[in-house]
Amino acid sequence: MLLSLALIAALTRLLPASGYAAYSAFAAVWAIGNAIVGTGLGTSVARDVARGSNRISLKISDLITIFTASLGVCFYSILAGHPIVISILGGLNMVGFIALEVVLSALLGQKRLWLYFACLVVRLGIPVALVLTASMAVDVDLTTALFAVFIGNCFVFVLRVRNVRIVRSRVSSSYGVQVGIINFCLWFIAGFDKIFFEQAIEPVAAAGYALVYGLLDKGFRSLSNIVITGKLGDALGGKGTRLGFKFYVATFVMAVCSVPLALLFANVISAGRYSLDVGAICMIALGLMCMTWATPSYLELLSRDRLTLTSILALSIAAVNGVLVAGLAPEIGYFAGALGSALCYLLWFLWCRYETKRLAAGYGS
């Protein structure tokens, strides 16, 4: 998390407002693309290794899907008016994030947690080092930032590439597709507003929203990732994933404390360039708290392989988020994104709790 904050601090200080807003939009596109492709592949790979496989198996069709996602990011970048070099780097980063997701998921499935965290440190440390080094010689721009992130992702994948094999086919099911759909919807809620705001509101407002949301997201997602890191192998192996009442209380306290801290850190990190209304920060914190609360229940759903209704519901919630953001942004600006996140993550949490209780009671089995 500290390395993530270091990268955010470097980019907010070194990039102009329009550059940081564009980088945030790219980050949201990568997250959504990775959710569609990377998390589905990664969860399938993690389940394979949790059940005894010692290699990462990818089909040729998986490689075609990854390439298609990369082209999609290039197409988005061109539509957004970015130069061809930036568009190519954006597409290459999409490949890098998916490859990284697969490698890290395999480590989680094997419960090799120290190696998992070491890979995260390398992946985050390299971009920070490259950006800061480049800033000593040249003006850091969007191209520099994208290149630094690409090197960090590729370095980790190269270290683990010997464990990857390409196969003509493997046993497949709808499981990976459903996981990809659900994670796409969750990342759509987290990222669509940043993509939309790049073109819809003032660059300073878009950059400020992206900075504060990013800071809060790093905190809550770190807690969520701790749960996933500790429980994913158990979930995919068919074991329990429930957490006690203390987890929910701690997350609530974290949400309350995060509001003033987000204001403080945004001001310090950006050297006073960016800030956000307290009401919007409260709504973002509420949404991310609900997202984190939903994590244990979501892992339990993964362990049950009963994801059809959940994937349909997730698509519906994502559609609500898109309508809210696009419909309200012209009137209330970045408040539309904050409201959409709060409402949709709340709906997601309530659904996950309901569905796990329903399945635990024997319905739908």
Side-chain angles (χ1 to χ4, degrees):
M1 180 178 174
L2 292 178
L3 287 172
S4 297
L5 292 176
L7 182 59
I8 291 174
L11 294 180
T12 53
R13 290 172 178 248
L14 297 172
L15 291 176
S18 59
Y20 186 70
Y23 175 83
S24 299
F26 266 113
V29 172
W30 296 329
I32 291 172
N34 186 54
I36 299 173
V37 180
T39 59
L41 290 176
T43 304
S44 295
V45 166
R47 187 169 63 164
D48 290 343
V49 299
R51 296 177 179 179
S53 176
N54 57 3
R55 299 292 295 274
I56 299 173
S57 299
L58 297 176
K59 297 184 296 183
I60 294 176
S61 61
D62 294 332
L63 301 183
I64 295 174
T65 302
I66 295 171
F67 178 70
T68 303
S70 176
L71 286 180
V73 175
C74 289
F75 185 62
Y76 153 77
S77 181
I78 292 170
L79 286 179
H82 295 299
I84 188 66
V85 173
I86 288 179
S87 300
I88 292 173
L89 280 173
L92 289 175
N93 266 305
M94 187 72 266
V95 176
F97 275 107
I98 295 172
L100 182 71
E101 179 72 26
V102 171
V103 168
L104 294 180
S105 295
L107 293 176
L108 286 181
Q110 295 169 332
K111 296 186 178 181
R112 302 177 68 180
L113 302 185
W114 284 110
L115 185 55
Y116 170 84
F117 285 117
C119 287
L120 281 182
V121 169
V122 171
R123 174 259 176 275
L124 292 169
I126 287 178
V128 173
L130 289 177
V131 167
L132 292 178
T133 302
S135 69
M136 299 176 185
V138 298
D139 291 332
V140 174
D141 57 10
L142 183 59
T143 304
T144 307
L146 297 186
F147 180 76
V149 172
F150 174 67
I151 295 299
N153 287 341
C154 286
F155 189 84
V156 172
F157 180 74
V158 168
L159 290 178
R160 304 294 301 168
V161 71
R162 68 181 183 276
N163 293 318
V164 179
R165 64 177 178 177
I166 307 301
V167 297
R168 291 184 177 274
S169 63
R170 68 167 187 262
V171 177
S172 60
S173 69
S174 61
Y175 180 81
V177 175
Q178 291 171 341
V179 171
I181 290 173
I182 294 168
N183 288 334
F184 155 71
C185 293
L186 295 177
W187 276 108
F188 182 91
I189 296 169
F192 174 71
D193 47 8
K194 268 75 76 181
I195 299 170
F196 188 80
F197 290 164
E198 184 191 4
Q199 306 294 329
I201 65 177
E202 290 295 321
V204 172
Y209 179 84
L211 171 60
V212 174
Y213 194 109
L215 290 172
L216 290 168
D217 186 78
K218 288 291 184 295
F220 284 99
R221 207 167 292 276
S222 294
L223 178 57
S224 179
N225 286 341
I226 289 172
V227 176
I228 293 172
T229 301
K231 296 291 186 179
L232 181 62
D234 292 336
L236 298 178
K239 300 178 181 178
T241 62
R242 294 184 181 181
L243 295 177
F245 182 70
K246 292 180 180 179
F247 166 75
Y248 298 96
V249 174
T251 309
F252 174 77
V253 173
M254 180 178 173
V256 173
C257 296
S258 67
V259 176
L261 289 176
L263 276 172
L264 174 63
F265 281 121
N267 183 64
V268 172
I269 288 174
S270 66
R273 298 176 67 190
Y274 307 122
S275 186
L276 207 67
D277 186 272
V278 174
I281 299 176
C282 290
M283 285 190 284
I284 295 171
L286 170 63
L288 293 174
M289 179 189 72
C290 291
M291 176 206 72
T292 307
W293 276 355
T295 301
S297 298
Y298 179 37
L299 288 176
E300 190 167 342
L301 292 177
L302 289 180
S303 71
R304 293 176 179 271
D305 287 10
R306 306 290 296 182
L307 299 175
T308 302
L309 284 177
T310 299
S311 60
I312 295 172
L313 196 282
L315 284 170
S316 301
I317 294 175
V320 170
N321 179 264
V323 170
L324 281 175
V325 172
L328 296 179
E331 301 297 329
I332 60 176
Y334 58 66
F335 275 93
L339 177 62
S341 294
L343 175 61
C344 292
Y345 278 133
L346 174 61
L347 292 174
W348 170 245
F349 166 65
L350 293 175
W351 168 258
C352 286
R353 291 289 294 176
Y354 165 77
E355 183 68 351
T356 52
K357 289 182 179 294
R358 187 179 74 90
L359 293 176
Y363 299 103
S365 58

